[in-house]
């Protein structure tokens, strides 16, 4: 059996290594997979917000061109923009809330990881990756839900003309916008929960609920 | 400037000096530790006993580098923990100290093997080496056949064994245990205590355990009794045996 042999003195204490992102990525993926239902609910919020955004934008693409100077058109556009902004804000608050709950739920796990040698920055990465992954997948699905609905409605109204109504380029651009907004909002929503997680004291690992 | 000495150089693995810890609860100040001074020998099995609220867990936090004393200092391997920055403190927790908790604290989404290799991952050990050492450690604690079980698929005693293997991951100088048998039945608790004693003897790792469990008395080299944040007395096991002998002698 090996016995413990250690150098002593300050010289023997080094700085803890920064881990490659892939390590945090693996653990974040594990967290999503195992807590799938929770992840699904968190993702549903972003998914719906992005679906709504995409549907509104796609509807404009498929609709016959309107007179941009008509006050009614301008008013309708403004109202829609407001609705989209509000719904995206709601989903952001939703993600933030779910992630805050995830941090509160996992205080012992976070404290334990810190006892085992995790740096604060690692904990931050873990939470950003977890929500970022959800954001990417949810935005992607959200785009297809939103666009799919508009496409079906227009297929019903216009018939096969709908296939050539909007260029692939325009759709690709919309997908890019949807993804960018979805991921950006998820990341913004995770700032507060991630800071809260990083500040969790390692002594939290000892807490025993009675 | 740092010439490396080996452990033979220093007799004490932990030195606690005049440690005071106060918690602020609104306007009220709670003095959880009130001037604790304690030297812990390399390789000894030390139990910290005391009633609930006496400051055992607080002392655990101080020795484990999980919280800072209000005043006084704690040295681990002759390093003053107050001098360390957060990254050095993380290194110390990762390499020098193994933690065992009353509630086991395995990461629920990870298998037994993944739990044991996690501290090695944090230490930057390669995946292959971590895996190999993880299997070795789980076999050592008698769980070689349960590498890929999740914590929910293991009994309390088995979870605590995984936690012990995890605590040994980076070959620490000390293992700190807070009520390691607190959530276990009598028989399982005894097995865990025996496992800790075996590791202490065979691997020479210092074990410091806060406990209510009188079964710990039999195997501890020394017992520190603490009350109201102060050390009441420190007993050697030999003294204890003497006393037990006396009592038995008188009775008989
Ligand atoms: N985070 C905290 N904030 C405020 N007070 C605290 C905190 N932690 C501990 N205390 C107080 O410090 C004192 C010592 O607590 P500690 O947890 O160290 O006791 P203990 O000996 O471990 O008790 P037990 O056997 O019940 O685990 C208690 O009065 C407790 O209320
Ligand atoms: Mg306690």
């Amino acid at each position: 059996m090996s016995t413990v042999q250690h150098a002593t003195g300050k010289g023997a204490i080094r700085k803890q290594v920064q881990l490659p992102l892939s390590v945090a990525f693996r653990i974040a993926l594990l967290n999503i997979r195992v807590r799938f239902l929770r992840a699904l609910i968190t993702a549903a919020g972003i998914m719906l917000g992005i679906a709504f955004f995409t549907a509104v934008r796609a509807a404009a693409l498929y609709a016959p061109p309107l007179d941009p100077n008509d006050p009614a058109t301008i008013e309708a556009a403004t109202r829609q923009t407001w609705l989209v902004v509000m719904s995206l804000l709601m989903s952001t608050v939703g993600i933030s809330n779910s992630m805050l709950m995830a941090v509160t739920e996992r205080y012992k796990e976070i404290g334990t990881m810190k006892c085992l040698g995790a740096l604060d920055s690692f904990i931050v990465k873990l939470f950003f990756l977890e929500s970022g992954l959800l954001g990417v997948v949810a935005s992607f699905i959200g785009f297809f839900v939103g666009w799919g609905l508009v496409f079906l409605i227009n297929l019903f109204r216009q018939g096969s003309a709908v296939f050539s109504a909007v260029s692939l380029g325009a759709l690709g651009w919309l997908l890019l916008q949807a993804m960018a907004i979805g991921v950006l909002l998820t990341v913004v929503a995770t700032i507060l929960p991630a800071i809260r997680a990083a500040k969790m004291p390692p002594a939290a690992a000892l807490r025993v609920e009675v | 400037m740092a010439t490396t000495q080996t452990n033979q150089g220093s007799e004490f693995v932990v030195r606690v000096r005049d440690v005071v810890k106060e918690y602020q609860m609104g306007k009220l100040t709670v003095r959880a530790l009130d001037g604790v001074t304690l030297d812990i020998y390399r390789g000894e099995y030390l139990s910290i006993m005391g009633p609930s609220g006496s400051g055992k867990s607080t002392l655990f936090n101080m020795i484990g580098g999980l919280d800072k004393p209000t005043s006084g200092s704690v040295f681990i391997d002759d390093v003053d923990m107050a001098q360390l920055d957060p990254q050095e403190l993380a290194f110390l927790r990762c390499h020098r100290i193994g933690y065992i908790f009353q509630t086991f604290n395995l990461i629920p989404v990870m298998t037994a093997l993944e739990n044991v290799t996690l501290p090695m991952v944090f230490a930057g050990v390669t995946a292959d080496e971590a895996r190999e050492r993880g299997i070795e450690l789980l076999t050592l604690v008698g769980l070689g056949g349960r590498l890929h079980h999740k914590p929910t698929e293991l009994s309390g005693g088995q979870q605590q064994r995984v936690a012990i293997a995890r605590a040994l991951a980076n070959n620490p100088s000390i293992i700190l245990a807070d009520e390691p048998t607190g959530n276990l039945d009598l028989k399982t608790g005894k097995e865990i205590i025996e496992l800790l004693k075996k590791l202490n003897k065979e691997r020479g790792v210092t074990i410091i355990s806060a406990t209510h469990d009188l079964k710990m008395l039999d195997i501890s080299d020394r017992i520190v009794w603490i009350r109201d944040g102060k050390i009441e007395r420190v007993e050697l096991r030999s003294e204890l045996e003497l006393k037990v002998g006396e009592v038995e002698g008188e009775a008989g």
Side-chain angles (χ1 to χ4, degrees), chain B residues 16-37:
Chain B
V16 180
R17 284 284 168 279
D18 305 316
V19 165
V20 172
K21 177 65 184 181
E22 288 176 342
Y23 291 109
Q24 207 64 43
M25 305 274 286
K27 282 201 170 131
L28 201 75
T29 306
V30 180
R31 193 168 261 229
L33 289 178
D34 190 5
V36 170
T37 294

Side-chain angles (χ1 to χ4, degrees), chain B residues 12-73:
Chain B
F12 299 115
V13 66
V14 177
R15 285 183 297 142
V16 180
R17 284 284 168 279
D18 305 316
V19 165
V20 172
K21 177 65 184 181
E22 288 176 342
Y23 291 109
Q24 207 64 43
M25 305 274 286
K27 282 201 170 131
L28 201 75
T29 306
V30 180
R31 193 168 261 229
L33 289 178
D34 190 5
V36 170
T37 294
L38 178 66
D39 289 326
I40 301 175
Y41 293 99
R42 204 170 283 282
E44 83 171 318
Y45 194 124
L46 184 90
S47 287
I48 301 166
M49 296 246 175
S52 188
S54 56
K56 300 184 295 294
S57 297
T58 309
L59 187 56
F60 179 105
N61 286 340
M62 298 301 128
I63 296 175
L66 305 184
D67 203 353
K68 288 196 164 31
T70 308
S71 71
S73 33

Side-chain angles (χ1 to χ4, degrees), chain A residues 206, chain B residues 53 55-58 102 178-179 210 212:
Chain A
L206 268 75
Chain B
K56 300 184 295 294
S57 297
T58 309
Q102 178 176 349
D178 192 29
E179 313 264 4
H212 282 122

Side-chain angles (χ1 to χ4, degrees), chain A residues 1-20 23-24 26-27 30-35 106-123 126 201-210, chain B residues 2-8 42 57 60-61 65-67 77-79 83-88 90-96 99 101-103 105 107-110 114-115 118-119 121-124 140 150 166 170-173 178 202-205:
Chain A
M1 275 292 129
S2 60
T3 52
V4 183
Q5 284 256 325
H6 269 305
T8 55
K10 170 90 197 269
I13 300 289
R14 297 192 297 274
K15 292 203 190 289
Q16 183 73 320
V17 289
Q18 289 281 344
L19 293 173
V23 174
R26 265 210 332 269
I27 298 179
L30 206 61
N31 268 325
I32 293 176
R33 222 178 56 216
V34 175
R35 301 179 164 106
R106 291 187 219 163
Y107 70 87
K108 198 174 271 188
E109 196 174 323
I110 299 167
T112 305
M113 283 200 180
K114 287 195 172 180
C115 288
L116 301 182
L119 291 167
D120 290 2
S121 58
F122 181 81
I123 305 288
L126 210 58
L206 268 75
R207 247 188 267 158
V208 182
E209 299 96 308
V210 278
Chain B
T3 45
T4 23
Q5 307 162 269
T6 44
N7 60 30
Q8 279 76 17
R42 204 170 283 282
S57 297
F60 179 105
N61 286 340
L66 305 184
D67 203 353
D77 287 331
D78 294 329
V79 177
Q83 306 296 321
L84 302 180
D85 67 24
Q87 281 147 291
E88 290 169 331
F91 180 94
L92 181 111
R93 291 186 200 124
C94 185
H95 292 258
R96 295 298 172 79
Y99 304 86
F101 308 98
Q102 178 176 349
T103 49
N105 291 30
I107 308 297
V109 301
M110 294 183 181
E114 286 166 340
N115 264 286
L118 190 61
V121 171
F122 288 144
L140 178 72
K150 290 268 170 64
R166 181 177 69 182
N170 291 322
N171 241 330
S173 312
D178 192 29
E202 289 178 359
R203 296 173 74 98
V205 59

Side-chain angles (χ1 to χ4, degrees), chain B residues 119-194:
Chain B
M120 302 185 226
V121 171
F122 288 144
V125 173
T126 63
D128 286 341
E129 196 191 334
R131 200 186 140 73
E132 196 176 307
R133 255 159 67 190
I135 295 173
E136 205 176 290
L137 286 168
L138 279 168
T139 311
L140 178 72
V141 299
L143 289 177
R146 291 206 163 54
L147 301 178
H148 305 294
H149 285 59
K150 290 268 170 64
T152 48
E153 299 159 359
L154 296 169
S155 72
Q158 289 170 336
Q159 288 187 51
Q160 197 61 304
R161 282 167 189 272
V162 176
I164 291 172
R166 181 177 69 182
L168 289 168
N170 291 322
N171 241 330
S173 312
I174 60 178
I175 286 190
L176 267 175
D178 192 29
E179 313 264 4
T181 58
N183 279 18
L184 299 173
D185 63 44
L186 217 68
K187 179 170 161 290
T188 317
K190 205 158 182 263
E191 287 166 10
I192 291 295
I193 291 173
E194 274 158 14

Side-chain angles (χ1 to χ4, degrees), chain A residues 17-209:
Chain A
V17 289
Q18 289 281 344
L19 293 173
L21 212 58
S22 60
V23 174
F25 189 83
R26 265 210 332 269
I27 298 179
L29 213 58
L30 206 61
N31 268 325
I32 293 176
R33 222 178 56 216
V34 175
R35 301 179 164 106
F36 192 68
L37 194 67
R38 158 61 53 86
L40 216 60
I41 293 169
T42 309
I46 323 167
M47 199 273 287
L48 289 174
I50 293 300
F52 185 56
F53 162 82
T54 308
V56 168
R57 299 300 298 266
L61 289 177
Y62 284 101
L66 295 167
D67 177 4
N69 294 322
D70 183 350
T73 317
I74 295 171
E75 204 200 303
T78 315
R79 199 179 322 128
Q80 266 183 353
T81 308
W82 264 109
L83 273 174
V84 168
V85 168
M86 288 314 283
S87 80
L88 287 176
L89 267 178
M90 292 292 283
S91 4
T92 310
V93 172
I95 311 161
S96 204
N97 185 47
S98 310
M99 291 309 285
L100 274 174
M101 269 170 67
V103 172
T104 313
E105 241 167 44
R106 291 187 219 163
Y107 70 87
K108 198 174 271 188
E109 196 174 323
I110 299 167
T112 305
M113 283 200 180
K114 287 195 172 180
C115 288
L116 301 182
L119 291 167
D120 290 2
S121 58
F122 181 81
I123 305 288
V124 167
K125 278 182 216 159
L126 210 58
F127 277 88
F128 273 117
L129 280 172
E130 189 172 327
S131 75
L133 275 169
L134 289 179
V136 168
V137 174
S139 309
F140 193 74
I141 297 172
F143 169 84
F144 284 97
V145 169
W147 169 71
L149 272 175
V150 172
F151 182 82
L152 285 178
I153 291 167
N154 281 281
L155 183 66
F156 188 67
R157 281 189 194 150
Q158 307 175 16
S160 59
V162 75
F163 289 106
S164 52
V166 180
S167 73
L168 266 182
L171 283 179
W173 176 233
L174 187 54
L175 172 64
L176 217 69
Q177 287 178 327
M179 298 285 295
I181 291 175
V183 173
L184 183 77
L185 291 184
T186 322
V187 168
V188 169
T190 312
I191 293 174
L192 195 69
I195 290 175
R196 168 108 41 113
K199 283 200 177 140
M200 187 75 71
L206 268 75
R207 247 188 267 158
V208 182
E209 299 96 308

